[in-house]
Amino acid sequence: MARFCLSSHFLTALCAGLIFASSVGASSLAVYGGNQAKYVFLFVGDGLGMPQRAAATEYLKDSGLERRLVMESMPVHGVTTTQAADRFITGSAAAGTAMATGVKTNIGCIGVDANLRSVTTLAEKAKREGIKVGIISSVSIDHATPAAFYAHQPSRSMYHEIDHELAESEIDFFGGGGFKDPEGIKSKAPLGDAVEAAKTNGFTVVDSRRGIMGLKKGSGKVIAVNPRLPDGKAMPYDMDRDTNDVSLSEFTGKAVELLDGEQGFFIMVEGGKIDWACHANDAAAAIKDTLAFDDAVSVAVDFAKEHPDDTLVVVTGDHECGGLALGFSGTKYATSYSLMNNQTKSHQAFLDDIFATYLKKKGRFKGAMKLVETHFGLSTDAEGSLKLKPYEVDELKRAYKSSLKGETLKPGMADYMLYGSYDPFTMQLTHMLNRKAGLGWTTYSHTGVPVLTSAFGTGATLFSGYYDNTDIAKKISHIMNL
Ligand SMILES: [Zn+2]
């Protein structure tokens, strides 16, 4: 039976100078009489809307793969609204804060309410109860979503200050990407090296695959950073992962191994690059990062099956991204998502590892098209669905000229709607391949469509229905009796 201890928590919160987010807000909580969950996983797919999930499902089917998404096989699903306090289309900071604290806040705010007062997070409440906490993200570990669980700052871009909050925290396990500003290069008042501060506060910092996979129980507080951080201190896109990298599911498995025990745990796992892929309108990268995210979910579900009486697994998204549409005017009712298999690398790796060098040499369009054939399967002389029409070759020529100019487009400029602020040629390529597959995009930003939340295990029934992202924190808090 879940019990309440509101007054003592309230006092604790006041003593800590924090505003306490009520855990008894939603009426459905009052009827929950199930077990308390001792082991709780919260999976946040950044940018993971219903279209992203459905695209991954259809991709598997169209590619002839037997696999079914683990998150789609969960017994309970609900619809979650995502708006921020001050804007309908949310961002990861406001959405992360809502899910971490149960409090609606403004765009850009991390762990503070709309009046910039600190609010206690699920992770902090769990730590006070002696529960182990793990925070994992495929993007930098100080990025908005993970930061919302351990930091309190008026702006998500105060990475240095967030890094120091991480260093001073009592969180047991951090895993995934690195730090964006440990030395305070972008800070007005640098606080010293955050990585050193973390070590002083008892963290072991590991950044090799061997070191991470070799971590054993009793290692103490850990910061495990993937050895390769190709962009923005994030892990590579899953489709670019190599044998020296640690996958999101491996980080999740390691957290489970290290934190499993009598005290119980709360583990938050963010699939952060689904969002980045969708900002860049790169469906192949988005789908493959969604599959990697689902692999991590599968680790949690396996654990839940071994601990069926007291484990809860919740999977949600913080918002949709890109306005991904599963249908395109040029292909009418046809879809062929397996065409994504023609793309060998994410847009980012194609640009960084291949196209940038060619562009620097001011190579000819014809040579660039050779790269396109190898890495996207699009060709002027190939047979079949990926043969480019003359007007498509013209579109690519135009984009190529724009890439040669090297300017970054801004909203309001003529070609912004074509390429966003990305490399025009790369963007044209992902758009072209996505359109041939029967996928469309409306924006390089987030959208306001509600997301799907799925749940498995103890207390999962509370996640059916239509509710707000703040309710996710309230429901978890209730089921954990925090
Ligand atoms: Zn985003």
Side-chain angles (χ1 to χ4, degrees), residues 46 92 275-276 279 319 321 446:
D46 203 309
S92 295
D275 181 66
W276 293 20
H279 277 289
H319 50 72
C321 181
H446 305 160

Side-chain angles (χ1 to χ4, degrees), residues 48-382:
L48 185 70
M50 182 74 119
Q52 283 74 10
R53 287 173 64 152
T57 299
E58 177 55 23
Y59 163 82
L60 291 172
K61 195 174 155 217
D62 196 50
S63 302
L65 300 166
E66 287 293 309
R67 173 178 171 185
R68 187 183 171 199
L69 288 186
V70 176
M71 57 182 130
E72 308 302 18
S73 70
M74 289 184 161
V76 180
H77 304 275
V79 175
T80 307
T81 50
T82 65
Q83 75 288 343
D86 59 344
R87 199 174 76 188
F88 173 59
I89 298 179
T90 196
S92 295
T97 300
M99 292 188 284
T101 70
V103 170
K104 200 53 110 179
T105 194
N106 290 342
I107 293 300
C109 290
I110 297 284
V112 296
D113 67 12
N115 296 312
L116 306 184
R117 290 175 299 193
S118 285
V119 277
T120 316
T121 74
L122 281 174
E124 290 163 338
K125 287 205 253 172
K127 279 312 302 176
R128 280 185 203 163
E129 300 293 322
I131 297 166
K132 299 268 184 190
V133 174
I135 299 200
I136 298 167
S137 175
S138 55
V139 296
S140 70
I141 200 66
D142 49 13
H143 219 257
T145 307
F149 286 82
Y150 64 80
H152 306 274
Q153 296 293 343
S155 166
R156 61 177 289 174
S157 54
M158 295 170 71
Y159 290 111
H160 181 61
E161 289 73 15
I162 293 170
D163 290 344
H164 273 273
E165 285 199 81
L166 184 155
E168 283 150 28
S169 78
E170 292 309 314
I171 307 287
D172 302 278
F173 181 87
F174 286 104
F179 294 80
K180 275 181 83 86
D181 192 13
E183 285 157 12
I185 290 161
K186 292 195 175 133
S187 173
K188 285 184 197 128
L191 302 162
D193 189 326
V195 178
E196 288 309 315
K199 288 178 185 164
T200 308
N201 187 31
F203 280 103
T204 302
V205 182
V206 223
D207 62 0
S208 69
R209 181 179 165 85
R210 186 180 247 249
I212 293 167
M213 298 316 282
L215 286 166
K216 292 270 175 305
K217 248 183 141 57
S219 300
K221 295 194 295 180
V222 171
I223 300 172
V225 183
N226 191 60
R228 207 161 55 95
L229 305 172
D231 52 339
K233 301 292 175 189
M235 285 164 56
Y237 285 100
D238 199 67
M239 67 188 292
D240 303 327
R241 180 162 52 88
D242 69 28
T243 49
N244 286 320
D245 294 314
V246 179
S247 69
L248 195 63
S249 63
E250 286 173 327
F251 273 115
T252 306
K254 191 45 82 175
V256 170
E257 183 190 331
L258 299 182
L259 307 186
D260 186 13
E262 261 320 291
Q263 305 98 317
F265 60 63
F266 170 75
I267 298 174
M268 193 290 295
V269 182
E270 185 203 20
K273 279 195 135 174
I274 301 166
D275 181 66
W276 293 20
C278 292
H279 277 289
N281 294 180
D282 180 348
I287 287 170
K288 287 174 181 171
D289 261 55
T290 301
L291 297 178
F293 178 70
D294 194 64
D295 285 337
V297 172
S298 153
V299 170
V301 168
D302 287 347
F303 180 90
K305 285 176 180 165
E306 286 166 26
H307 302 80
D309 299 328
D310 45 14
T311 306
L312 169 66
V313 185
V314 179
V315 184
T316 191
D318 58 352
H319 50 72
E320 198 276 336
C321 181
L324 176 59
L326 308 190
F328 172 65
S329 54
T331 44
K332 294 173 84 177
Y333 294 97
T335 53
S336 183
Y337 297 172
S338 60
L339 289 183
M340 297 304 154
N341 291 323
N342 284 291
Q343 189 177 328
T344 64
K345 291 171 182 292
S346 70
H347 69 283
Q348 191 72 52
F350 173 74
L351 178 64
D352 293 346
D353 304 346
I354 297 181
F355 185 57
T357 325
Y358 189 78
L359 202 56
K360 222 181 241 164
K361 290 190 292 192
K362 305 240 180 270
R364 294 171 61 118
F365 177 72
K366 224 176 171 183
M369 287 307 292
K370 284 246 163 359
L371 303 176
V372 170
E373 187 163 359
T374 308
H375 297 289
F376 290 84
L378 299 162
S379 164
T380 44
D381 46 33

